[in-house]
Amino acid sequence: MSANFDPDITLMFIAPSGQGISRNNLRVCLEKQFNRKQLPPQFESAIDSVWKSRTASNTTLWNGTKFRIDSVIFQDTICTFNLGITCYKDFIGTNWSPNAKLYRELGVSEHNNSQVFMSDALGVGSLVQTADNFGIFLRRSLNCAEASGLLDIPGGHPEPQEIVGKIEADQIALESIAPQAVVDEIYNSTLREICDAVNIPPSCLTDPVLLGIARNTTSSGRPSAEFFVRCSLTSVEIQTRYSTGDHPEADESTGIKFIKITDILQLKSQSDIWNDLAPSAKGCVELFTLHNS
């Protein structure tokens, strides 16, 4: 489904309007068939070259394992993510490759699926509503690999290593991973990113509610599960905590901005702010707006 107002995003999945999907209503299916397919050899070998080039110019990058989302099934009140395993190197070497357009065209011609060769590492993000009804946005550092310098929501990735430890993607036995552990990591990583990026204590946050999944077309359809979270602190209290600069991901942003929730619902009409948003923030705002329209 396309978001007809902005070419940076499409919507892969929209949760039931006004309801969202709680932790108890999410399931995952982990199978190797949901891993990306190998590219033809001449293109597969280029992934290492792209990775070496990117890490040479940005030494903060590291090759962690990630979950790859293939598809979503929604039936009755239950949402199921079909997941495989990928890694950040493959994400940079496919979704961010100079040949990404070609890889997607090959996917369509050979498998009728533009994403079949793409890493499509699953991201998470959240619109956090403060006690005084503001949404939280962060100005991304220029050192960030994606959307540097843009306003974004707190976000990151659910991490397989939180479940299986630091092992290579091709060494992970999907059948050995408890599906509920992955569900919990998806929701817990959303909360962890808020805590680490904004310096908000976990006790001040509600459990995330899934709004849907948005694809970032500037990174060849990279998917991000977008959530809504309430915070019991006011914007002033959060500003004070953020400004201490002693939180784990303080170096990933250079400032914090609060936007009234009522204004967020009209944000698409405010081009100066909208054009300053990272694609992940645009996707989350679009899903939040749909849920509150």
Side-chain angles (χ1 to χ4, degrees), residues 25-82:
N25 286 343
L26 182 66
R27 306 286 187 271
V28 300
C29 179
L30 297 157
E31 295 185 9
K32 288 186 69 174
Q33 65 171 313
F34 301 133
N35 292 350
R36 76 174 184 89
K37 292 188 180 300
Q38 295 281 295
L39 285 155
Q42 69 271 29
F43 298 124
E44 192 67 29
S45 62
I47 292 176
D48 283 335
S49 299
V50 172
W51 178 249
K52 288 176 182 177
S53 174
R54 290 294 295 271
T55 53
S57 60
N58 186 347
T59 57
T60 65
L61 296 180
W62 64 283
N63 185 28
T65 54
K66 308 297 175 188
F67 292 106
R68 178 184 189 270
I69 190 161
D70 176 84
S71 51
V72 179
I73 299 171
F74 183 77
Q75 187 172 8
D76 298 326
T77 61
I78 301 299
C79 178
T80 301
F81 287 3
N82 292 326

Side-chain angles (χ1 to χ4, degrees), residues 23 187-195 205-208 229:
R23 186 186 298 247
Y187 281 77
N188 293 345
S189 65
T190 303
L191 294 171
R192 189 167 62 239
E193 291 295 339
I194 300 168
C195 298
L205 300 170
T206 62
D207 208 42
V229 176

Side-chain angles (χ1 to χ4, degrees), residues 31-162:
E31 295 185 9
K32 288 186 69 174
Q33 65 171 313
F34 301 133
N35 292 350
R36 76 174 184 89
K37 292 188 180 300
Q38 295 281 295
L39 285 155
Q42 69 271 29
F43 298 124
E44 192 67 29
S45 62
I47 292 176
D48 283 335
S49 299
V50 172
W51 178 249
K52 288 176 182 177
S53 174
R54 290 294 295 271
T55 53
S57 60
N58 186 347
T59 57
T60 65
L61 296 180
W62 64 283
N63 185 28
T65 54
K66 308 297 175 188
F67 292 106
R68 178 184 189 270
I69 190 161
D70 176 84
S71 51
V72 179
I73 299 171
F74 183 77
Q75 187 172 8
D76 298 326
T77 61
I78 301 299
C79 178
T80 301
F81 287 3
N82 292 326
L83 300 178
I85 288 288
T86 187
C87 64
Y88 201 64
K89 180 183 78 172
D90 283 5
F91 172 65
I92 293 296
T94 58
N95 289 78
W96 280 104
S97 168
N99 293 322
K101 182 179 178 181
L102 172 60
Y103 298 166
R104 297 182 81 197
E105 290 172 349
L106 280 173
V108 172
S109 64
E110 296 185 11
H111 299 279
N112 198 32
N113 180 350
S114 65
Q115 302 306 118
V116 72
F117 293 123
M118 313 307 286
S119 166
D120 277 0
L122 177 65
V124 294
S126 58
L127 181 64
V128 182
Q129 181 171 329
T130 67
D132 51 345
N133 297 319
F134 286 85
I136 299 173
F137 294 83
L138 301 172
R139 178 70 65 185
R140 291 176 64 83
S141 165
L142 294 178
N143 290 326
C144 291
E146 303 172 59
S148 57
L150 296 178
L151 276 180
D152 205 357
I153 53 174
H157 302 87
E159 305 287 356
Q161 75 173 45
E162 292 290 328

